[in-house]
Coordinates of all heavy atoms in Angstrom, one line a residue:
R296 N 148.7 22.4 327.8 CA 148.1 21.3 327.2 C 147.5 21.6 325.8 O 147.1 22.7 325.6 CB 146.9 20.8 327.9 CG 147.3 20.2 329.4 CD 146.0 19.7 330.0 NE 145.6 18.4 329.4 CZ 146.2 17.3 329.5 NH1 147.2 17.0 330.4 NH2 145.6 16.3 328.9
Y300 N 140.8 18.7 324.6 CA 140.2 19.2 325.7 C 140.7 20.5 326.3 O 140.0 21.1 327.3 CB 140.2 18.1 326.9 CG 139.5 16.9 326.6 CD1 140.1 15.8 325.9 CD2 138.0 16.8 326.7 CE1 139.6 14.6 325.5 CE2 137.5 15.6 326.3 CZ 138.1 14.6 325.8 OH 137.5 13.3 325.3
G301 N 141.6 21.0 325.8 CA 142.1 22.4 326.1 C 142.9 22.5 327.5 O 143.0 21.5 328.1
T302 N 143.1 23.8 327.7 CA 143.8 24.1 328.9 C 143.1 23.5 330.2 O 141.9 23.8 330.3 CB 144.0 25.7 329.1 OG1 144.5 26.1 327.9 CG2 144.8 26.1 330.3
M303 N 143.8 22.9 331.0 CA 143.3 22.3 332.3 C 142.2 21.2 332.1 O 141.5 20.8 332.9 CB 142.8 23.3 333.2 CG 143.9 24.4 333.6 SD 143.2 25.5 334.8 CE 143.3 24.6 336.4
G304 N 142.1 20.8 330.8 CA 141.1 19.8 330.4 C 139.7 20.4 330.5 O 138.6 19.6 330.6
R305 N 139.6 21.7 330.5 CA 138.2 22.3 330.6 C 137.8 23.2 329.3 O 136.9 24.1 329.3 CB 138.2 23.4 331.7 CG 138.6 22.7 333.1 CD 138.6 23.6 334.2 NE 138.9 23.1 335.4 CZ 139.2 23.8 336.6 NH1 139.2 25.1 336.5 NH2 139.5 23.1 337.7
G306 N 138.4 22.8 328.2 CA 138.1 23.5 326.9 C 136.8 23.3 326.4 O 136.1 22.2 326.8
L308 N 134.1 21.8 324.2 CA 134.1 20.7 323.2 C 133.0 20.9 322.1 O 131.9 21.4 322.4 CB 133.8 19.5 324.0 CG 134.8 19.1 325.1 CD1 134.3 17.8 325.8 CD2 136.1 19.0 324.6
L316 N 132.2 11.3 323.8 CA 132.6 11.1 325.2 C 131.6 10.5 326.1 O 131.9 9.6 327.0 CB 133.1 12.5 325.7 CG 133.6 12.5 327.2 CD1 134.8 11.7 327.3 CD2 133.9 14.0 327.5
L320 N 131.9 7.7 329.1 CA 131.8 8.0 330.5 C 130.9 7.1 331.3 O 131.0 6.7 332.4 CB 131.5 9.4 330.7 CG 132.5 10.4 330.2 CD1 131.9 11.9 330.3 CD2 133.7 10.4 331.1
Y423 N 151.6 10.2 336.1 CA 151.6 9.1 337.1 C 151.8 7.7 336.4 O 152.1 6.8 336.9 CB 150.4 9.3 337.9 CG 149.1 9.3 337.3 CD1 148.4 8.1 336.9 CD2 148.4 10.5 337.1 CE1 147.3 8.1 336.3 CE2 147.2 10.5 336.6 CZ 146.6 9.4 336.1 OH 145.4 9.3 335.4
F533 N 142.9 13.0 323.8 CA 143.4 13.3 325.2 C 144.8 13.0 325.5 O 145.3 11.8 325.3 CB 142.5 12.6 326.2 CG 142.8 13.0 327.6 CD1 142.5 14.2 328.1 CD2 143.5 12.0 328.4 CE1 142.9 14.5 329.5 CE2 143.8 12.2 329.7 CZ 143.6 13.4 330.3
S534 N 145.6 13.9 325.9 CA 147.0 13.7 326.3 C 147.1 13.1 327.7 O 146.5 13.7 328.6 CB 147.8 15.0 326.2 OG 149.1 15.0 326.8
W537 N 150.3 14.7 332.6 CA 149.7 15.3 333.9 C 150.4 16.6 334.0 O 151.3 16.8 334.8 CB 149.8 14.4 335.1 CG 148.9 14.8 336.2 CD1 147.8 15.6 336.1 CD2 149.0 14.4 337.5 NE1 147.2 15.7 337.4 CE2 148.0 15.0 338.2 CE3 150.0 13.6 338.2 CZ2 147.8 14.7 339.7 CZ3 149.8 13.3 339.6 CH2 148.7 14.0 340.3
S539 N 148.8 20.5 333.5 CA 148.0 21.5 334.1 C 146.5 21.0 334.2 O 145.6 21.8 333.8 CB 148.1 22.6 333.3 OG 147.7 22.6 332.0
I540 N 146.2 19.8 334.7 CA 144.9 19.3 334.8 C 144.8 18.6 336.2 O 145.8 18.1 336.7 CB 144.7 18.4 333.7 CG1 143.2 17.8 333.7 CG2 145.6 17.1 333.7 CD1 142.9 17.0 332.4
S541 N 143.6 18.7 336.7 CA 143.4 18.0 338.1 C 143.4 16.5 338.0 O 143.2 16.0 336.9 CB 142.0 18.4 338.7 OG 141.0 17.8 337.9
G542 N 143.8 15.9 339.0 CA 144.0 14.4 339.1 C 142.7 13.7 338.7 O 142.7 12.7 338.0
A543 N 141.6 14.0 339.2 CA 140.3 13.4 339.1 C 139.8 13.5 337.6 O 139.4 12.6 337.0 CB 139.2 13.9 339.9
R544 N 140.0 14.9 337.1 CA 139.6 15.1 335.7 C 140.4 14.2 334.7 O 140.0 13.6 333.7 CB 139.7 16.5 335.3 CG 139.2 16.8 334.0 CD 139.3 18.4 333.8 NE 138.3 19.0 334.6 CZ 137.1 19.4 334.3 NH1 136.7 19.1 333.0 NH2 136.3 20.0 335.1
H545 N 141.8 14.1 335.1 CA 142.7 13.4 334.2 C 142.3 12.0 334.2 O 142.3 11.3 333.1 CB 144.1 13.6 334.8 CG 145.2 13.1 333.9 ND1 145.4 11.7 333.9 CD2 146.0 13.6 333.0 CE1 146.4 11.5 333.0 NE2 146.8 12.5 332.5
V546 N 142.2 11.3 335.4 CA 141.7 10.0 335.3 C 140.5 9.5 334.6 O 140.4 8.6 333.9 CB 141.6 9.4 336.9 CG1 141.0 8.0 336.9 CG2 143.0 9.4 337.6
I547 N 139.5 10.4 334.8 CA 138.2 10.1 334.1 C 138.5 10.2 332.6 O 137.9 9.3 331.8 CB 137.1 11.1 334.6 CG1 136.8 10.9 336.0 CG2 135.9 11.0 333.6 CD1 135.8 11.8 336.6
L548 N 139.0 11.3 332.1 CA 139.3 11.3 330.7 C 140.1 10.4 330.1 O 140.0 10.0 329.0 CB 139.8 12.8 330.4 CG 138.8 14.0 330.6 CD1 139.4 15.3 330.3 CD2 137.6 13.8 329.7
L549 N 141.2 10.0 330.9 CA 142.1 8.9 330.3 C 141.3 7.6 330.3 O 141.5 6.8 329.3 CB 143.2 8.7 331.4 CG 144.4 7.8 330.9 CD1 145.1 8.3 329.7 CD2 145.4 7.5 332.1
L550 N 140.5 7.3 331.2 CA 139.7 6.0 331.3 C 138.7 6.0 330.2 O 138.2 5.0 329.7 CB 139.1 5.8 332.6 CG 140.1 5.5 333.7 CD1 139.3 5.3 335.0 CD2 141.0 4.2 333.4
S551 N 138.3 7.2 329.6 CA 137.3 7.2 328.7 C 137.8 7.0 327.3 O 137.0 6.8 326.3 CB 136.6 8.6 328.7 OG 137.4 9.6 328.3

Side-chain angles (χ1 to χ4, degrees):
R296 297 190 65 83
Y300 295 94
T302 304
M303 303 186 75
R305 299 175 181 174
L308 301 179
L316 181 61
L320 290 176
Y423 52 84
F533 177 75
S534 169
W537 194 20
S539 58
I540 183 172
S541 69
R544 184 179 294 270
H545 187 280
V546 171
I547 291 173
L548 293 177
L549 186 68
L550 292 178
S551 69

